[in-house]
Amino acid sequence: SNIHAYLLVSLMTACKFLQDDFPPNCFWARVGQMRTEQVNAYERKLLAAVEFRLFVSAEEYAGFVRELLVLRWCEDRASSSLASWFRMEDGNASATSSRAGSPSPLPSRAHAGSYAVPLGPAEAVCPP
């Protein structure tokens, strides 16, 4: 699907931006089970969409983080309100919900993991 292709190309583009030595596009195509031509087309679309501006300043990044935290807070409030409404519909007198024990707005390090795709070196994946 498109979201998977854009995710793959976003990772590929970030790798190219941050590293001097990176796998070729045919490697990424193999990882994403796509044709190299498709990866190339998605890369062009992504770069055009961000106007070839890949650097993000610390201030801009902080702004994105703030927006995500506000969005998470709003989602938590909405689900809490909905849960309270359902409890009232069931006839429960205590319709207030406690925020204690609600999940942190940031993921914990326990959820971070590393995943490896056993494809071998790029030379073995991409024909010369």
Side-chain angles (χ1 to χ4, degrees), residues 83-93:
S84 297
W85 183 81
F86 278 114
R87 281 195 298 276
M88 281 191 67
E89 287 293 309
D90 291 340
N92 188 347

Side-chain angles (χ1 to χ4, degrees), residues 89-101:
E89 287 293 309
D90 291 340
N92 188 347
S94 66
T96 60
S97 66
S98 169
R99 296 283 295 161

Side-chain angles (χ1 to χ4, degrees), residues 31-114:
V31 170
Q33 299 177 348
M34 299 169 60
R35 293 188 335 269
T36 303
E37 296 79 20
Q38 289 175 300
V39 170
N40 295 342
Y42 276 102
E43 182 181 23
R44 284 190 298 273
K45 288 179 188 177
L46 176 69
L47 290 171
V50 297
E51 298 174 347
F52 291 83
R53 202 176 66 91
L54 298 177
F55 178 78
V56 177
S57 69
E59 294 82 20
E60 192 174 8
Y61 180 77
F64 286 128
V65 169
R66 272 193 305 277
E67 287 181 34
L68 288 173
L69 290 175
V70 167
L71 185 63
R72 171 70 186 267
W73 182 83
C74 291
E75 287 176 349
D76 285 351
R77 294 279 298 178
S79 65
S80 172
S81 297
L82 189 60
S84 297
W85 183 81
F86 278 114
R87 281 195 298 276
M88 281 191 67
E89 287 293 309
D90 291 340
N92 188 347
S94 66
T96 60
S97 66
S98 169
R99 296 283 295 161
S102 69
S104 166
L106 297 175
S108 69
R109 293 188 66 78
H111 296 292
S114 62

